[in-house]
Each structure stands twice: as C-alpha cells, then as structure tokens.
Amino acid sequence: MYIDTYRNSFAVDVLEYFKLVKLNQEVLFGKNGSEESSLRQEQVNFDDNLLEKQDFGDFGYPSEAGDIDGAVEQMHGCKDMKDPFLVDFTGPKDPEHPHNWSTLKKTVVIIEVSTLTFITYMGSSIYTPGQEEIQKEFGVGHVVATLNLSVYVIGYGIGPLIFSPLSEFAIIGRQQLYIVTLFLFTMLQIGCALVHNIAGLIILRFLTGILCSPSLATGAASIGDVVKPKYVPIFIGLWSGAAYAAPCLGPLIGAAMVVAKNWRWIFWLLMWMSALLLITLIFFFPETGEDNILYRRCERIKKITGDSRYYTFKAREESKLTARDIAVIALYRPFEIMVKEPIVQALDIYIALTYGIFYLFFESFPIVFSDMYHFTLVQLGMSYLGFLVGSFIAYAASLIFLQYYVERKVINGTFTPETFLVLAMCVSWCLPCGLFIFGWAAGVHWILPIAAEILFVMCDFNLWESIFSYLAVSYPKHVASVFAGNGVLRAGFACAFPLFGRAMYENLAISGYPVAWGSSLLGFITIGVALLPFLFYKYGPYLRSKSKFTG
C-alpha cells in the first residue's frame, strides 16, 4: 500500500533502484495490461521541424523553459496523428497525476512543503537573539555580526536563480532538489554550531541561505502541482502565511535556546528540526512535477519493455538545450525584464522596499523593547508576534477580496490584470501609518508599536499577494524570470537594510523617541511608492500593450 501510494518518493526510489520492490504496473500500461492504453490516442508523431515553428525569442532558443510546454500543448492538439512511443498520462483520471491524488496525500504534501518553507525561512531571524553573545565571543562589532543575518538573506535571493530553472527540468523535478539541498542544509547547521571564528560562520550562513532557497523558489509551484487551479490562491496564501510566520517566530525560538543554553544551540535546534523533516520527506514526499512523473514513467516502460524508443516530449526537447541556453534563461532574462519593463521595475522596488523594512525591524525592536522597556530576551522574541497576528488578518482580507471582488470580475467578464491592484490600492495606506505609529507611539506604551505591526503586515502581506498575482497574469510566459528578478532585488534590500539600520536610528534619534525619525523617513518614502498601484491601475494596460514580454 505504501509503495504504490508514495511511488516517486526518495525512499521508494532507493528501493526500486536496488530492485527490492516492484511497483504496480497498472498505471504504466493501463488496467487492460496493454502498452497502448498508457499513451494518449490523441498524441502526435514527433517532428523536429515542429519545434522550429515556435517563437524562440531573440537568441534562437526558448525565451523561457516554459515555452517548451507550449510546444507540447500545440502538438497534443493535433488529433489526426499519434505516436505510440510518446509517453503521457492515460487521461484526466490518471492516478499518477497529482490532481487525482487522495485528499490525505495532497494534505501531507502541502503540510510538508509549508513546514520546509517555515524551517528554512526561520533560519534567517532565529540567529538574531544570539548576536550579542557572538559579538562578545568573537570580538567583533555590530555590523560584522549582523552580516550573519544579511548573507543568509542574500543567499536565498540568489538560490532561486539556480534551483527554480533546475526544478522545471523533467529529468530533475522538485523532490530530488528538496531532499539533496535539505540534507546539505542540515549538515551545515552542525558546522554553524561548532565554528570558532566569525569568518567561518558568515561563510556557512551564506551557504545555508542558498541551500534553503528551493522551498522559496518552488514551494508555491509544488502546491500548484497538487491543487486544482480554482483553489490555488487559497493554498498559496496558506503557504505564504508559513513563510511570513517563520521570521516572526524565529527570534522567540532563538531566544529560548540562548537563555536555556547558548547561541550554539540555535543551530543545534535547526539541525534537529531539519533532520526530522528530512526523514519525513524521504519517506512521504512524492514527486509533484508532472514532467518528472512522466519521465519516471517513461524510464520504467523502457526498462520493462527493453525498448528505448519511448520518450516524453519535454525531456527530449530539454536534451537539446545547451549550457548557454540555460544560463540565459536563468541569469540574463530576469534582469533584462526588470530593466526593460517599467511595471516590473517599479513594483519590484516597491516589494523590495517593504521587505527591507521588515528586516529592519530586527534592528529597531531591540532599541524599543530592550533599551526603552527593558524586555528580557524571550520577551523581545514575543514582541514579534504582532506580525503573526497581522498575517492571519491579512490572509482573511485577501480571501475576501478574491471571493467577492476578483471572482465577480471574472464572472461578469470585466476582469483585467489590473483587477489585482485594487487590493494593493486599498491597503497601501497601512504601511506608512504603521511606521509612523511604531516610531512616535513607542514612548507611550509598549503595546502600541506591537499594534503597529498588524498595520504593517496588512499592507505587506496583501501587497505581495496583489503584485505577484498582477505580474503573473501580465507576464504569463516569463513568470519564472519575473519572480526570480524580484527575489534577487528584495533579498538585496533585506541584506543591506539591517547593516545600516542601527546607525540610521541612532543618528536620527531624539530624546524619548529613539526610532521616531528613522521610522518617519521610511514612512514618507512608502507614501511616495504607494502611488504606484494607482498609476499602474490607470496606465498599466497601455504599458503592457507596448511590451514584448507580455502575452
């Protein structure tokens, strides 16, 4: 039962490799036992010339890895031809297709992906309670110690440029990337716990930041693999909630380790949490990518029949891509779009600014709650829970918006990509308002800056939901590149802001209000960028009509 339910999981892969198990072959050959029934009857003969008819962009090869999928769909539309060696799903009810998995199996996958995102994302902020001890032990200043937070963040900004394209390759898929990178992530936590110099810790933190990025790069895609399109926004919101909750809970969990033992136990805890999750993924996380599932099916058919003519279209076309093709898709295209597209450029800066401000709170909170109100380390960790409360409220608001505004627009035929920007327009005031309250009410009572966190999250969470949805719909053929460029830019902001944060607050501080003018400066900037959703709501259709990347 387990073997068939969790085929294509790492544990079953190992057992299958050593020929210790034999999978149920009904899925491969159909219930009637014939090879023909496992292949679509509406498939096409493979013709190399058909690929030449596709739009290959400026460089003579697909502008995105996803363009190959478009070629597959077009070829599958030719109903008067068939190729008995082209392996595909048996039909809409094929049990191996992720949409046809049991509710329990889908739930397990969603929980695993969300937990993976939570643990690895928490690795950024869980370090902060131990920073003071690290400064004393290694004899370094505040900025150098803060690098351990910054390099982790820049690491998971760079990582998706590598892992996101790799996960889309049929021969690799998502499961193998999750397992391998999580294993290395877990092992390097041991190094972080045992290191005896600051340079070594900074290097290890950078590497673990890169290794944690597959969950951020493809976590949403994995959920999209198993959930039917109608319900994707709901579950992506839940996954986003896990991603948002992680850095909020990190300081509290890290503080508990520092108080109970010392800063090294922060990394021991991360190691044990990651190891437990790794074991769970090895046994209970099946491959979710359709292309990799078909590739595995094809390889099994080849092994059973001894006939090497069986193939999947995606794998065959990917074999033609050169290293240069992949490098352009992964490294050049995200920045090309960011530079040439004013919509992408402006909204990326808006998102990056809010992300940088979020990580700046890890500098301002100790000033407010430790210096002014003399919170203990654990109490300081608890002060971040306002963000967690705000994320629940913000998620509820996004669901209401999708249900009662977007869906009605779709039904009555008035939906445009700019529909998503209405949510950003509605919450844009919350960000500067939250910053002003945090800065100027901090000296009144400690509850007020915590309440300001809720306003901040109301904007930040829904801004992400709104802008990412808008960009995904506006640039459907290049969505991976758009998000990859966004990830690098926001990681750059989040990396830089903590490094200058304390100096900014100290230089702008006035008596009784240590973070007032620093927060106000950011508040005034966010008022300016809050105009962007309004501008693109009006001029977005015109700008998109002039773009070569929209479609």
Side-chain angles (χ1 to χ4, degrees):
M1 182 67 178
Y2 163 78
I3 298 299
D4 285 326
T5 301
Y6 288 98
R7 67 169 65 218
N8 300 329
S9 64
F10 191 85
V12 175
D13 287 346
V14 172
L15 294 173
E16 187 180 8
Y17 178 81
F18 289 105
K19 300 180 180 179
L20 298 176
V21 299
K22 186 175 181 181
L23 297 177
N24 187 339
Q25 302 305 321
E26 277 190 355
V27 173
L28 298 182
F29 298 114
K31 293 184 177 180
N32 62 5
S34 68
E35 297 179 18
E36 286 293 319
S37 64
S38 72
L39 310 174
R40 280 191 184 176
Q41 297 305 307
E42 296 179 356
Q43 291 170 342
V44 301
N45 281 311
F46 175 75
D47 183 354
D48 289 335
N49 294 326
L50 283 177
L51 193 61
E52 299 175 3
K53 300 176 183 179
Q54 304 304 316
D55 178 14
F56 281 72
D58 300 333
F59 293 90
Y61 37 80
S63 57
E64 289 286 340
D67 289 353
I68 298 174
D69 296 332
V72 176
E73 291 177 6
Q74 181 174 336
M75 295 179 73
H76 281 176
C78 304
K79 302 190 179 200
D80 56 338
M81 306 169 66
K82 69 176 182 177
D83 183 352
F85 299 105
L86 178 58
V87 178
D88 205 339
F89 291 110
T90 58
K93 295 185 179 180
D94 190 311
E96 272 203 284
H97 193 290
H99 286 179
N100 297 321
W101 292 350
S102 68
T103 301
L104 176 61
K105 187 175 179 181
K106 291 180 182 179
T107 303
V108 168
V109 168
I110 293 172
I111 291 174
E112 287 173 328
V113 172
S114 299
T115 305
L116 175 63
T117 304
F118 178 85
I119 291 175
T120 54
Y121 213 27
M122 184 178 64
S124 61
S125 64
I126 197 174
Y127 156 86
T128 55
Q131 181 169 320
E132 188 173 343
E133 284 192 3
I134 290 172
Q135 288 179 231
K136 292 178 181 178
E137 181 170 335
F138 294 140
V140 296
H142 178 79
V143 174
V144 174
T146 304
L147 281 173
N148 287 287
L149 170 64
S150 295
V151 297
Y152 190 95
V153 175
I154 200 67
Y156 68 60
I158 295 172
L161 293 175
I162 303 168
F163 297 120
S164 186
L166 287 180
S167 71
E168 298 298 329
F169 277 79
I171 195 172
I172 298 175
R174 313 199 197 282
Q175 176 248 96
Q176 296 179 72
L177 281 179
Y178 289 149
I179 298 295
V180 173
T181 56
L182 182 59
F183 172 76
L184 295 175
F185 178 87
T186 304
M187 293 299 101
L188 289 183
Q189 299 308 319
I190 300 175
C192 290
L194 298 176
V195 71
H196 289 289
N197 61 81
I198 191 66
L201 182 58
I202 291 172
I203 292 171
L204 288 170
R205 288 282 290 172
F206 176 68
L207 294 176
T208 52
I210 293 176
L211 292 170
C212 88
S213 61
S215 61
L216 305 176
T218 62
S222 294
I223 292 176
D225 289 337
V226 302
V227 177
K228 293 184 178 180
K230 179 179 179 180
Y231 303 105
V232 165
I234 297 174
F235 290 96
I236 293 297
L238 288 174
W239 173 79
S240 300
Y244 212 100
C248 302
L249 289 173
L252 176 59
I253 297 173
M257 292 297 100
V258 173
V259 171
K261 293 287 185 178
N262 55 56
W263 69 266
R264 296 182 183 275
W265 276 84
I266 291 174
F267 299 109
W268 286 121
L269 176 65
L270 265 181
M271 187 274 290
W272 286 114
M273 293 173 69
S274 303
L276 180 61
L277 178 61
L278 177 63
I279 294 171
T280 304
L281 294 183
I282 286 173
F283 287 97
F284 299 105
F285 188 84
E287 175 60 47
T288 63
E290 295 180 16
D291 295 315
N292 185 255
I293 292 172
L294 290 175
Y295 174 79
R296 290 164 178 263
R297 175 180 289 186
C298 180
E299 292 302 302
R300 291 183 183 119
I301 292 176
K302 287 181 182 178
K303 188 178 296 186
I304 293 170
T305 63
D307 192 336
S308 62
R309 291 176 292 176
Y310 287 99
Y311 69 94
T312 66
F313 187 86
K314 184 78 180 290
R316 177 174 285 190
E317 291 315 304
E318 287 171 352
S319 67
K320 297 180 180 182
L321 294 176
T322 66
R324 180 174 178 270
D325 301 339
I326 299 169
V328 170
I329 293 170
L331 302 177
Y332 174 77
R333 190 54 54 83
F335 298 102
E336 179 193 19
I337 294 176
M338 191 189 303
V339 169
K340 293 182 178 180
E341 290 295 302
I343 292 176
V344 176
Q345 186 180 103
L347 294 180
D348 278 0
I349 291 174
Y350 194 3
I351 287 287
L353 177 64
T354 64
Y355 200 58
I357 293 172
F358 176 71
Y359 273 88
L360 199 56
F361 281 120
F362 295 109
E363 294 295 308
S364 61
F365 271 45
I367 297 174
V368 172
F369 296 107
S370 296
D371 297 349
M372 291 183 64
Y373 292 105
H374 309 292
F375 277 22
T376 65
L377 200 58
V378 173
Q379 289 173 331
L380 176 61
M382 294 182 67
S383 67
Y384 292 91
L385 295 182
F387 291 117
L388 189 61
V389 174
S391 64
F392 287 113
I393 299 173
Y395 177 56
S398 69
L399 290 181
I400 293 171
F401 173 76
L402 290 171
Q403 177 70 32
Y404 293 101
Y405 187 81
V406 175
E407 188 170 332
R408 289 182 181 179
K409 286 281 188 178
V410 173
I411 292 174
N412 62 30
T414 59
F415 173 84
T416 65
E418 284 70 30
T419 299
F420 288 114
L421 293 179
V422 173
L423 179 60
M425 294 158 61
C426 291
V427 300
S428 59
W429 63 273
C430 293
L431 181 55
C433 185
L435 288 170
F436 289 132
I437 292 175
F438 180 81
W440 292 99
V444 179
H445 193 278
W446 58 264
I447 195 63
L448 294 177
I450 291 178
E453 298 172 33
I454 298 176
L455 284 174
F456 177 87
V457 177
M458 271 296 294
C459 177
D460 198 29
F461 187 97
N462 286 306
L463 195 68
W464 285 43
E465 293 286 307
S466 173
I467 290 178
F468 282 173
S469 298
Y470 174 61
L471 293 176
V473 175
S474 298
Y475 302 90
K477 292 184 178 181
H478 303 280
V479 64
S481 290
V482 170
F483 287 173
N486 180 281
V488 174
L489 188 64
R490 71 174 186 265
F493 273 60
C495 169
F497 274 45
L499 296 177
F500 68 76
R502 182 171 286 271
M504 178 189 73
Y505 287 121
E506 289 177 351
N507 290 328
L508 296 176
I510 58 177
S511 180
Y513 299 94
V515 297
W517 280 112
S519 297
S520 295
L521 174 62
L522 298 172
F524 289 129
I525 295 173
T526 57
I527 289 175
V529 294
L531 298 175
L532 291 174
F534 294 88
L535 291 174
F536 290 129
Y537 184 81
K538 183 175 182 179
Y539 299 108
Y542 172 77
L543 293 172
R544 288 189 292 107
S545 69
K546 300 297 182 181
S547 171
K548 70 174 184 178
F549 296 105
T550 55

